[in-house]
């Protein structure tokens, strides 16, 4: 009797250890917690320039000018195999200083700028991407920006998220994630702790399951302003 009781307790504890990963059978490669982001155990810092991110994420990326499409510009760097899109900060206070020899569309030294937004596409073939495809031509619709996705799971403040994760699953897994739903068309947005990131879900109003469509992460406002002073010598966004 005592042995069976101990076995039952052990099984209960083991089930608790694995409960947070029940939302996905995919490997968890990306971990997001406040200003700290890690991928495959390697830390990515919002304080460091884009080049440091490339050193970790790899050189298999596409920059805007090589093949510009809607919603994709010179300050964006996408990693199709990872489903990740990085956006570096531009100098809003002195826009002309951003261009090489004054030529619009030639961002000056983007690799030594800081990353201000990290976007992760969650669904294969954009099956739940909130972008409106009615205005895209065939070439644009087939661009990696619209078709790429993360084929791994993400630890978002303790909630395990992948392309099939429901809103209810995220809320139940983490008491840090806030339920801040804002409706725009058919999209629901759920913010993370201290507004350091959000997950966008397609909301089908009962016709189809609500599933994660994309994710965004950014530095705290304090760190962003500190970065602007460090990289541009002044605050450029206020």
């Amino acid at each position: 009797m005592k042995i069976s009781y101990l076995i039952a307790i052990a099984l209960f504890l083991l089930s608790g250890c694995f409960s947070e990963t029940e939302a996905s059978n995919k490997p968890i490669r990306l971990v997001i917690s406040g200003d700290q982001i890690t991928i495959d155990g390697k830390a990515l810092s919002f304080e460091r320039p884009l080049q440091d991110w490339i050193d970790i994420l790899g050189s298999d990326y596409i920059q805007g000018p090589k093949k510009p499409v809607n919603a994709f510009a010179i300050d964006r760097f996408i990693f199709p195999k990872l489903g990740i899109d990085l956006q570096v900060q531009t100098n809003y206070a002195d826009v002309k200083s951003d261009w090489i020899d004054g030529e619009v569309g030639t961002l000056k030294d983007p690799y030594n700028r800081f990353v201000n937004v990290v976007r992760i596409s969650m669904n294969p073939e954009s099956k739940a991407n909130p972008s409106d495809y009615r205005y895209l031509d065939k070439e644009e619709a087939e661009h990696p920006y619209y078709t790429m996705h993360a084929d791994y799971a993400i630890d978002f403040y303790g909630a395990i998220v992948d392309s099939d994760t429901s809103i209810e699953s995220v809320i139940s897994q983490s008491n840090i994630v806030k339920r801040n739903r804002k409706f725009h068309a058919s999209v629901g947005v759920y913010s993370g702790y201290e507004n350091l990131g959000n997950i966008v879900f397609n909301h089908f109003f009962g016709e189809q399951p609500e599933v994660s469509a994309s994710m965004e992460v950014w530095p705290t406002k304090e760190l962003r302003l500190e970065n602007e002073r460090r990289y541009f010598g002044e605050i450029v966004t206020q």
Side-chain angles (χ1 to χ4, degrees):
M1 182 73 175
K2 187 176 181 180
I3 294 176
S4 61
Y5 175 79
L6 291 174
I7 292 174
I9 292 295
L11 291 174
F12 174 80
L13 292 174
L14 284 173
S15 67
C17 293
F18 293 102
S19 62
E20 68 173 3
T21 62
E22 288 177 356
S24 176
N25 56 9
K26 299 176 182 177
I28 301 171
R29 297 183 59 188
L30 192 63
V31 179
I32 297 167
S33 177
D35 275 329
Q36 183 68 41
I37 300 178
T38 60
I39 184 165
D40 297 332
K42 299 176 181 178
L44 298 169
S45 173
F46 280 111
E47 295 181 356
R48 306 298 302 164
L50 170 66
Q51 185 59 58
D52 284 19
W53 292 64
I54 291 175
D55 290 343
I56 290 176
L57 297 177
S59 58
D60 187 11
Y61 63 87
I62 301 172
Q63 187 188 6
K66 295 181 180 178
K67 192 175 182 182
V69 297
N70 290 344
F72 188 54
I74 56 169
D75 58 349
R76 308 281 280 276
F77 293 76
I78 68 169
F79 296 77
K81 292 183 179 179
L82 296 173
I84 292 177
D85 165 24
L86 303 180
Q87 182 173 343
V88 296
Q89 180 69 57
T90 53
N91 191 343
Y92 299 144
D94 186 8
V95 177
K96 291 183 179 179
S97 71
D98 272 349
W99 311 131
I100 300 173
D101 298 326
E103 183 182 348
V104 176
T106 56
L107 191 63
K108 187 182 296 182
D109 202 12
Y111 301 97
N112 285 320
R113 294 172 183 248
F114 70 92
V115 175
N116 71 332
V117 183
V118 179
R119 298 179 179 88
I120 304 115
S121 179
M122 302 298 297
N123 282 272
E125 300 178 358
S126 304
K127 68 180 183 183
N129 193 310
S131 300
D132 192 336
Y133 292 94
R134 292 175 298 176
Y135 303 105
L136 298 181
D137 59 31
K138 187 175 185 295
E139 182 180 13
E140 290 173 335
E142 293 178 353
H143 190 276
Y145 177 78
Y146 295 101
T147 59
M148 69 180 187
H149 69 282
D151 61 355
Y152 48 85
I154 299 170
D155 183 329
F156 185 77
Y157 297 97
I160 309 304
V161 183
D162 66 18
S163 59
D164 297 314
T165 304
S166 68
I167 291 172
E168 290 73 16
S169 177
V170 172
I171 298 299
S172 66
Q173 288 183 68
S174 174
N175 58 6
I176 295 177
V177 177
K178 300 176 183 177
R179 191 181 177 109
N180 291 341
R181 174 177 291 188
K182 300 176 183 177
F183 285 108
H184 174 68
S186 61
V187 178
V189 177
Y190 286 73
S191 298
Y193 182 59
E194 291 184 354
N195 246 8
L196 298 177
N198 65 36
I199 309 173
V200 179
F201 290 83
N202 265 33
H203 182 72
F204 298 101
F205 302 100
E207 295 180 8
Q208 298 181 46
E210 294 176 300
V211 291
S212 48
S214 62
M215 183 180 294
E216 286 192 359
V217 188
W218 50 85
T220 60
K221 180 180 179 181
E222 292 76 12
L223 179 55
R224 175 176 57 79
L225 297 180
E226 181 182 326
N227 279 341
E228 290 179 15
R229 294 189 191 97
R230 182 187 303 120
Y231 285 82
F232 301 118
E234 61 178 330
I235 301 298
V236 301
T237 56
Q238 290 184 340

